[in-house]
Amino acid sequence: MPLDFTRRQFACAGAASLAALLPRGIFGATSAAKNAVIHADVEIGLIRPEFHSNFAEHLGSCTYGGIWVGKKSPIPNINGLRKAAVDFLKELGVPVLRWPGGCYADDYHWRDGIGPAEKRPRHVNVNWGKYVEDNSFGTHEFIEFCRLIGAEPYFAANVGSGSPQEMRDWIEYCNFPKGSTLSDERAANGSPEPFRVKYWGVGNELWGCGGNFRPEQAAEEFRRFATFARLIGDRDLYLVGCGPNGNDARWTRGFMDTLQGSRMPNGYSMHYYENGSLPSTQFTPEAMYTQFNLFPRVEQAIIEQRTLLDSYDPGRNIGLFLDEWGVWDQLREDSKGRLWQQSTMRSAVAAALGLNIFNRQADKLYMCNIAQLINVLQAVLLTDGPEGKNCVRTTSYYAFMLFKPHRSKKAVRVEYDGDRLPMAPAGRGGRGGQQPEPPPDLSMSASRQDAEMIVTLVNPRHDVDMEVDCAIRGASARQARAQILHDSNINAANSFDDPEHLTIKPHQAAMDRDRLRITLPAMSVVTVTLQVA
Ligand code: AHR
């Protein structure tokens, strides 16, 4: 595993790969030889489909205008829900969808979003632009959307400006079958069947927009809310406590020390954004590499936070969540909605670097939610503004597609010339330091179930093709079939004029007596399916 490398081993590996540089590759860039070994019989852990979960906030044009266009919209819709988004997301498969925030969650009162739409109160969104929203999208609309796309709902309850009673009532409204005032109100609002919501976040970013709590206070709040957030109905609740910003050990210690001896959360959520210093479509290779180099720090954060949690929870009963992650580029204008950001070939590589980490650390994670679903930050779908008729699948959508075959397989150990050691600790979500950083290197992960093995390989270099020679140990492999997402232009994207500019294509891969040989062109994500025995 790359992160198990000592500094000396890493220096040697780096030198070895430099020495292997060859004159020119077939795609015009410099070519580098890379060696890898997949240990098909050394299992890491289950790749939970939940690693590919998503997040939708009342922010910009994610919910209003992205998911929700309204029942009277000329845009094709299913009960007000954008049909193109439903179709694309159903095809992708979104295991779990978190809602309504983000920062918005701690300013959201669920009762505002139920009952006849014309009677719902209007609310100023104080976090994201102070526009007035009419609450036409609420609990019932969100649940219907989840059902249409096949996602499990994950509610973030309001701690910062809410109360334990408000959360407890929301649970009863959603989950109690019938006969109580709240469950009968749900039925009267059109849903006699309970929603049976399992995942409940107890606040969001309580260290910041969720209330600016200290970790000890946040833990006290968790204890108070969890006392009343009980099983109501037949669905076991999974309560998620608020974890740190990035790899903040002080927060985790303060939170967990305070909770010791009382009910522990079922899950514990950290957030880690990979900030970028330029607008999405204007990246330079240097700025891109600085952003990519945050990913080894994400991996370090997962390892270190899990180790800390283990000291309180040796049986690993508490699931580690990374329920906000993704590239957050420099944002200059809001004409298509706040935090609207194009997804480029760079973004797809970034998504793949993250997803490879989740595979390699599969034993330490429970759920990961990229931010966000539509039109905000690293979205898998984009529309051309809130009124936009067009809906395109982004490069990030296709990166997730390439990882879909890993779902529910067992991650297995991979060793390779690549990735690199985490360097100096970084700030919020981990901004890099001022020093120029070395370019990133090959990233890989592999998984196996029965006779099928999946390998994903990422070349994050803009100027180097990689010739990978990968030995398979612990199983004999045959029949390699590969698919690729690639563009040597780091800023290439799917636009409304050219929505299929970047899509997944077949790619050459060869098996030669238990060795997989494959070329990774500069800026590419490749998935190889192997038959193994
Ligand atoms: O995803 C955008 C914002 O980032 C969320 O509202 C908040 O939780 C985080 O700071």
Side-chain angles (χ1 to χ4, degrees):
M1 290 296 303
L3 274 171
D4 293 341
F5 279 11
T6 61
R7 279 182 193 276
R8 200 172 144 270
Q9 282 170 321
F10 170 70
C12 293
S17 35
L18 281 178
L21 286 177
L22 298 170
R24 285 267 149 208
I26 53 169
F27 296 91
T30 307
S31 179
K34 295 278 164 192
N35 293 309
V37 182
I38 296 175
H39 298 272
D41 53 353
V42 183
E43 286 182 359
I44 298 171
L46 178 71
I47 298 179
R48 298 173 54 82
E50 288 83 353
F51 297 173
H52 298 177
S53 297
N54 217 305
F55 164 41
E57 182 164 7
H58 288 221
L59 194 181
S61 50
C62 182
T63 298
Y64 290 104
I67 297 173
W68 179 252
V69 294
K71 294 181 181 169
K72 295 187 185 140
S73 171
I75 299 168
N77 66 83
I78 305 166
N79 290 331
L81 302 162
R82 188 186 282 271
K83 184 170 180 322
V86 168
D87 293 343
F88 287 148
L89 294 170
K90 212 157 114 183
E91 189 191 354
L92 177 63
V94 176
V96 178
L97 186 59
R98 178 172 179 254
W99 174 84
C103 293
Y104 186 74
D106 287 282
D107 187 40
Y108 182 64
H109 301 282
W110 68 271
R111 287 206 67 92
D112 293 350
I114 58 165
E118 60 290 354
K119 292 198 177 146
R120 295 184 192 176
R122 294 171 172 268
H123 182 76
V124 179
N125 188 328
V126 288
N127 284 291
W128 303 112
K130 301 195 171 54
Y131 68 92
V132 175
E133 55 176 80
D134 64 6
N135 277 305
S136 49
F137 189 90
T139 300
H140 290 254
E141 291 76 17
F142 177 67
I143 294 288
E144 182 176 6
F145 182 66
C146 285
R147 296 219 166 123
L148 285 169
I149 65 171
E152 181 89 38
Y154 170 10
F155 285 177
N158 182 344
V159 167
S161 69
S163 67
Q165 170 156 15
E166 188 178 4
M167 181 180 179
R168 171 252 171 258
D169 285 352
W170 202 8
I171 296 168
E172 181 175 328
Y173 183 87
C174 290
N175 288 5
F176 198 66
K178 63 177 179 186
S180 75
T181 303
L182 284 166
S183 58
D184 290 351
E185 188 180 3
R186 181 196 66 237
N189 285 334
S191 302
E193 286 303 311
F195 297 145
R196 307 183 76 247
V197 178
K198 170 179 174 180
Y199 294 111
W200 295 84
V202 182
N204 168 75
E205 297 195 350
L206 295 182
W207 36 263
C209 63
N212 285 304
F213 293 101
R214 292 191 303 277
E216 297 77 13
Q217 292 174 307
E220 299 290 2
E221 290 297 307
F222 179 87
R223 195 195 333 254
R224 205 161 69 94
F225 275 68
T227 305
F228 301 95
R230 299 207 197 110
L231 176 70
I232 309 175
D234 62 358
R235 188 81 198 255
D236 283 340
L237 301 185
Y238 193 102
L239 296 189
V240 184
C242 176
N245 176 19
N247 190 9
D248 183 350
R250 197 190 60 85
W251 177 277
T252 296
R253 283 200 198 94
F255 190 91
M256 290 295 163
D257 282 345
T258 309
L259 276 190
Q260 272 194 331
S262 53
R263 177 177 174 183
M264 283 288 182
N266 303 97
Y268 183 66
S269 94
M270 57 190 271
H271 290 176
Y272 206 129
Y273 282 102
E274 295 73 41
N275 298 317
S277 56
L278 290 175
S280 302
T281 54
Q282 295 169 31
F283 263 69
T284 59
E286 293 71 29
M288 174 174 81
Y289 291 161
T290 302
Q291 186 174 54
F292 287 170
N293 283 343
L294 292 173
F295 282 94
R297 292 165 176 135
V298 176
E299 191 160 19
Q300 178 187 28
I302 292 166
I303 294 168
E304 292 183 3
Q305 289 292 323
R306 183 72 259 177
T307 306
L308 254 177
L309 279 184
D310 288 350
S311 65
Y312 298 91
D313 168 41
R316 291 206 172 164
N317 296 310
I318 302 175
L320 181 59
F321 281 45
L322 181 60
D323 61 13
E324 288 188 32
W325 71 280
V327 294
W328 187 320
D329 303 332
Q330 192 189 97
L331 299 159
R332 283 200 176 147
E333 49 99 16
D334 285 345
S335 65
K336 297 194 183 73
R338 274 222 152 173
L339 273 51
W340 193 98
Q341 174 179 294
Q342 180 53 280
S343 182
T344 63
M345 189 61 221
R346 166 191 52 84
S347 322
V349 167
L353 293 176
L355 295 170
N356 263 349
I357 290 172
F358 306 157
N359 288 351
R360 296 195 299 259
Q361 304 302 337
D363 56 331
K364 303 179 186 66
L365 287 165
Y366 189 96
M367 188 189 295
C368 307
N369 306 61
I370 195 162
Q372 298 192 6
L373 191 70
I374 310 182
N375 287 335
V376 168
L377 300 176
Q378 195 169 357
V380 292
L381 299 179
L382 287 178
T383 71
D384 42 351
E387 310 298 328
K389 283 206 169 80
N390 294 308
C391 182
V392 301
R393 285 168 286 190
T394 66
T395 55
S396 298
Y397 178 101
Y398 289 112
F400 272 82
M401 266 295 188
L402 282 173
F403 277 76
K404 200 173 166 182
H406 282 295
R407 293 184 191 176
S408 299
K409 292 192 170 60
K410 288 275 176 63
V412 294
R413 184 174 163 86
V414 184
E415 291 175 298
Y416 54 95
D417 298 342
D419 283 338
R420 52 190 64 248
L421 276 176
M423 287 166 277
R428 154 146 178 86
R431 244 182 219 285
Q434 300 305 309
Q435 300 294 324
E437 295 187 20
D441 209 331
L442 173 67
S443 159
M444 281 182 71
S445 72
S447 66
R448 181 186 178 185
Q449 187 184 35
D450 303 327
E452 196 171 73
M453 177 180 282
I454 308 295
V455 187
T456 39
L457 306 102
V458 183
N459 179 354
R461 292 289 300 265
H462 77 291
D463 55 351
V464 177
D465 300 332
M466 295 177 179
E467 306 290 341
V468 181
D469 179 343
C470 177
I472 316 281
R473 302 220 181 112
S476 68
R478 60 197 160 82
Q479 276 184 24
R481 191 166 44 81
Q483 292 189 300
I484 190 167
L485 183 68
H486 158 64
D487 200 310
S488 48
N489 174 4
I490 66 174
N491 293 315
N494 290 338
S495 64
F496 302 106
D497 296 332
D498 192 358
E500 306 271 299
H501 185 67
L502 271 147
T503 55
I504 295 170
K505 302 205 167 68
H507 188 58
Q508 285 288 321
M511 276 308 302
D512 174 14
R513 279 178 298 158
D514 284 337
R515 300 194 88 82
L516 167 68
R517 294 186 209 277
I518 190 161
T519 300
L520 308 177
M523 297 297 290
S524 61
V525 181
V526 174
T527 296
V528 184
T529 305
L530 299 165
Q531 295 308 309
V532 290

